[in-house]
Amino acid sequence: MATHGIIDMRAQYNSTAFAGGIGSTFGQRINYLDYYVSIFNFLTSSFGQSLGAQRIAYNTGSRNPASSPNFSTGSGADYWETTNKLGDNAWSVWKFSSASVPFYMLMQVSIASNWQSSPGSDGAPATISANTTIPGIGIGFAMRADGGNPWNGATGNAGADSKNYQVWTSGSSQLFVWPRSNSFGGTHATQMQNLIPMIWAGGGFNSTGGPSVGSRMHVVADFENFAVAYDDGGDNTYNILHFGRYTPRSGSGATVPYIMVMTGNGRQVNDPCITIGSTAYGSTSGNGLDEGGVAHPTILTSGTRSAVFSGLNEFWSTTHSPSNVLGNTVYDEFPILCGIDESPWFAYIGQLDYNFIRWVYGVNSMDVNPQLTRVAVGNAAQYSAKVTIPWDGLTIPGTNSSRSGVMF
Amino acid sequence: MAGIPHGLVDMKTIGSAGGSEKGWEEVYTGIIRFLTSSQGASIGATRVAYSTGSSSTANLKAVGTANNYWDTGNSSGNNAWSVFKFVSSSLPWYMLVQWVGADSIAVPGSPGNISGQSGQQGIGFAFAVRLDSGNPWGGTSNNSGADTKGTQVWNSGSSQLFVWPRNNSFGGTYVAQKQQMMGPFGTHAASTFYHVIADNDNFAFVFDDSGNSSHTMVYFGKYSARSGTTPNVPYVALYNDVETYDPFIQLAAYGTVGGKDGGVASNDSNSGTLRVTFSGVNEFWTTSFQPNNNFGAAPVYDEFPVHLGSDEGTSAGYLGTLDYGFIRYIYNCASNDISSDFSRAIFGNASTASCKVSLPWTGLSSPPGSNINRSGTYF
């Protein structure tokens, strides 16, 4: 299974960078656009193609309300200062066709404090963490039990597509949508318009409206998994957003074994990085700091429900990590176990894909293994439980200074 | 799990009128009956030495002449002990089991201690392995009932020695003579229930003092090593000294004299056995999550692996899991429940909402405690 990514994307602009142009209010928000474009470019690259990523719809976005001459209506999906620039509320929908059950991802960027303006909201007001005004990049996922296409909008795929009133549709199958608030009993179940923040200005971060200079983002994926690690402010404290397949426990018979977890911007100091036990990921309101959800393993009509995680935390201590038993000194990487955690369904269901995402303890955030094939993400404190995700095998984390990052 | 599990279960002591030491003698006898039976032979249990014990106990007047119950002609005497080799394991291991009556540990049972006690009645277990598969027993091996212990109970010979409990090993209180054993001790009421369950690689002695459905346990077995490691001696032991532990195997260090005892073998020849710690995914040990109600028409109780690691400063870290075929964590089942196919039974704290362990069971519909008598049931 191929693993690829775009890593070490670095925010370029501070709040005064555009003081003479579109103004300081939007200066840092340009970084949202840059991140969006870089991820877009990755997904359309040969790397993205080898993952099975196929764009099926997109909109290049509207003119920015700052009315700057440098920021007119979007006409493409390139960086803001180029001819074929991206506009506000641009969005795109991607099919991950190589997954065992193909999944679809909607990604949208807003910098103008209005997620409800066209084209992000054609017929269906988009929200990010149930909010309509906070700028950022929002992301949502959907899949059908039959592997069919759940996207309910236009698919001209030429930059002018529109959303539908219901963002996702079940068609003749069963629909699973993330975040959980878009599913049955959720605040956004009718239109399924809610997105969760890949990055944003909520949750106590980005008080000036956008990522500060030096903020970093890494996106890695394989056929079945997609993860975003984000360090607001470049202080090596990361949150993680992960969507992917879990390995069902023996006897489960899960038909759509996919799960999402997002440790919101306000959770960059989490220890462990993904909270275990008491925290349910995926609220019905869709505005929590811990969002995500899991497809109900067997009752297809139940859609997506809250998820919970667990691990072998007795070994998360300075005594046991690094492990120095049996002639080895290694940092053990442990599986992340998962469950469904919403009444009346409470159950252990399996573990996240160990090849993709694992627990680790006692390493620094952005430490890599000797082969540079995995990187640790989480709290900047060394002695905290983090997760590891794939890395490119070449890059020393933090050494790239460009917004376009490093693709692999 | 290696081989077919067997056991002698649902045994109950009747020795109450004359004092509790009769009960300890019965427990010892029950264990020996299993290990010397055809079922014991089928898991590779081979006796290599034994002593029928002394005549000095207050209530058991006769000199021990064999290994039968105290009220029969050929009973075992105070401080009787036996050593068994488990030959069918990939790396043969040895077990010493000894009972002690009211007169404390003395010849022929000395040197010895049970959980740090030399003046208490009880039943003790110790285990040993040599890296070269050789015999670590330090005493005589005439195997006719009159064997003696050596000054050092276990011996490395020309190989490396691993001994349990941990305090018989390097840096331990009993390293010189390696005489420490672990197991329940003290006065106990009659009608104590107990079970012996084993396979080629694992041995469990489950003890329910006074039959109140709360258990203690002595366990020795082989663990499955985590990826990337190849332990020379992948064996671990534990003794639960308290009946009300929840989880039954504590998420804590084992290897302390007189407390949670046990240990795990190190690869370092200078370290021998080390303290061991256990772990499980306890976020799923709640009444909300167990039984698991999402998979099919009938709820199921998840059984989880028991993870372990060594727990001493110079050698600490995750090691792997106890043999999942033999022993597993389970939550919110009643103590003494059995699985729907009768192949596993649940032992631990009597409180239903607690984390216990499941072990192989008879395959018969009778749960632990329901068909109980002194002679028990073989499987």
Side-chain angles (χ1 to χ4, degrees), chain B residues 115 183-185 215-218 238-245 248 250 254 256-261:
Chain B
S115 297
F185 61 86
H215 302 89
T216 57
M217 180 176 70
V218 173
L238 70 89
Y239 164 57
N240 264 349
D241 63 323
V242 173
E243 283 192 322
T244 54
Y245 277 151
F248 185 52
Q250 293 272 279
Y254 282 70
T256 304
V257 175
K260 295 181 286 289
D261 214 340

Side-chain angles (χ1 to χ4, degrees), chain A residues 296 298 310 314 320 324-325 344, chain B residues 279 283 292-294 310-311 316:
Chain A
H296 194 289
T298 56
S310 184
E314 277 70 33
H320 299 104
N324 54 10
V325 298
Chain B
S279 183
E283 279 70 32
N292 187 325
N293 62 9
N294 282 273
S310 63
D311 195 51

Side-chain angles (χ1 to χ4, degrees), chain A residues 11 76 83-84 89 120 139 149 188 200 251-252 277 295 320-321 348 354 356:
Chain A
T83 302
N84 295 313
N89 275 318
I139 192 168
N149 179 3
H188 309 98
W200 71 326
S252 82
H320 299 104
S321 188
Y348 163 66
Y354 184 77
F356 191 83

Side-chain angles (χ1 to χ4, degrees), chain B residues 26-41:
Chain B
E26 290 177 10
V27 171
Y28 175 80
T29 301
I31 295 166
I32 301 305
R33 286 179 56 234
F34 167 64
L35 293 172
T36 56
S37 70
S38 59
Q39 286 84 355

Side-chain angles (χ1 to χ4, degrees), chain A residues 249 252 276-277 296-298 310 312 314-315 319-320 323-326 330 332 334 338 340-341 344-348, chain B residues 226 251 267 279 281 283-284 288-289 292-295 300 302 304 307-311 314-319:
Chain A
R249 73 162 179 83
S252 82
I276 60 173
H296 194 289
T298 56
S310 184
L312 298 174
E314 277 70 33
F315 297 111
T319 300
H320 299 104
S323 168
N324 54 10
V325 298
L326 305 177
V330 297
D332 289 307
F334 294 102
C338 56
I340 183 170
D341 189 32
W345 301 289
F346 298 93
Y348 163 66
Chain B
R226 71 169 172 81
L251 311 180
N267 262 10
S279 183
V281 286
E283 279 70 32
F284 298 115
S288 294
F289 284 95
N292 187 325
N293 62 9
N294 282 273
F295 303 99
V300 295
D302 291 311
F304 295 100
H307 297 262
L308 76 151
S310 63
D311 195 51
T314 57
S315 184
Y318 177 66
L319 287 170

Side-chain angles (χ1 to χ4, degrees), chain B residues 55-80:
Chain B
S55 62
S56 60
T57 59
N59 296 302
L60 302 175
K61 299 298 184 186
V63 175
T65 55
N67 289 316
N68 217 331
Y69 294 115
W70 59 274
D71 53 356
T72 66
N74 297 312
S75 65
S76 64
N78 187 22
N79 276 305

Side-chain angles (χ1 to χ4, degrees), chain B residues 21-341:
Chain B
E21 66 180 343
K22 292 179 180 176
W24 291 118
E25 195 271 352
E26 290 177 10
V27 171
Y28 175 80
T29 301
I31 295 166
I32 301 305
R33 286 179 56 234
F34 167 64
L35 293 172
T36 56
S37 70
S38 59
Q39 286 84 355
S42 71
I43 60 167
T46 306
R47 192 180 60 203
V48 298
Y50 74 109
S51 169
T52 55
S54 72
S55 62
S56 60
T57 59
N59 296 302
L60 302 175
K61 299 298 184 186
V63 175
T65 55
N67 289 316
N68 217 331
Y69 294 115
W70 59 274
D71 53 356
T72 66
N74 297 312
S75 65
S76 64
N78 187 22
N79 276 305
W81 53 260
S82 297
V83 178
F84 289 86
K85 175 183 181 182
F86 288 78
V87 299
S88 298
S89 187
S90 53
L91 179 60
W93 46 278
Y94 291 72
M95 181 179 82
L96 165 66
V97 56
Q98 178 174 336
W99 83 272
V100 182
D103 292 337
S104 74
I105 287 180
V107 173
S110 56
N113 269 310
I114 297 178
S115 297
Q117 305 291 324
S118 60
Q120 291 268 13
Q121 51 193 302
I123 189 145
F125 297 83
F127 302 87
V129 176
R130 268 176 49 166
L131 185 59
D132 64 356
S133 303
N135 182 358
W137 176 240
T140 63
S141 300
N142 298 311
N143 206 17
S144 57
D147 283 318
T148 58
K149 292 183 174 180
T151 302
Q152 282 196 332
V153 176
W154 303 106
N155 196 315
S156 64
S158 57
S159 183
Q160 294 174 20
L161 179 66
F162 299 87
V163 285
W164 292 262
R166 183 259 172 271
N167 278 282
N168 289 331
S169 191
F170 298 97
T173 306
Y174 303 99
V175 65
Q177 293 184 276
K178 309 182 196 323
Q179 75 271 40
Q180 176 72 350
M181 296 171 281
M182 56 188 181
F185 61 86
T187 301
H188 71 89
S191 298
T192 285
F193 299 177
Y194 64 106
H195 318 279
V196 183
I197 302 165
D199 65 14
N200 294 357
D201 288 332
N202 301 277
F203 175 90
F205 167 71
V206 182
F207 185 75
D208 174 3
D209 190 26
S210 73
N212 62 3
S213 297
S214 284
H215 302 89
T216 57
M217 180 176 70
V218 173
Y219 167 78
F220 179 87
K222 190 171 184 177
Y223 68 86
S224 300
R226 71 169 172 81
S227 174
T229 59
T230 307
N232 295 328
V233 182
Y235 288 105
V236 59
L238 70 89
Y239 164 57
N240 264 349
D241 63 323
V242 173
E243 283 192 322
T244 54
Y245 277 151
D246 174 21
F248 185 52
I249 298 178
Q250 293 272 279
L251 311 180
Y254 282 70
T256 304
V257 175
K260 295 181 286 289
D261 214 340
V264 64
S266 165
N267 262 10
D268 180 352
S269 60
N270 294 319
S271 295
T273 47
L274 302 168
R275 282 195 309 269
V276 62
T277 192
F278 299 94
S279 183
V281 286
N282 49 332
E283 279 70 32
F284 298 115
W285 298 346
T286 72
T287 53
S288 294
F289 284 95
Q290 301 301 331
N292 187 325
N293 62 9
N294 282 273
F295 303 99
V300 295
Y301 290 90
D302 291 311
E303 291 180 281
F304 295 100
V306 181
H307 297 262
L308 76 151
S310 63
D311 195 51
E312 292 197 31
T314 57
S315 184
Y318 177 66
L319 287 170
T321 58
L322 299 189
D323 186 340
Y324 185 77
F326 191 81
I327 187 167
R328 309 165 185 170
Y329 278 128
I330 194 166
Y331 186 90
N332 205 24
C333 288
S335 189
N336 293 330
D337 266 0
I338 53 175
S339 60
S340 57
D341 63 356

Side-chain angles (χ1 to χ4, degrees), chain A residues 302-315:
Chain A
S302 292
T304 309
R305 301 289 169 168
S306 301
V308 68
F309 300 91
S310 184
L312 298 174
N313 49 331
E314 277 70 33
F315 297 111

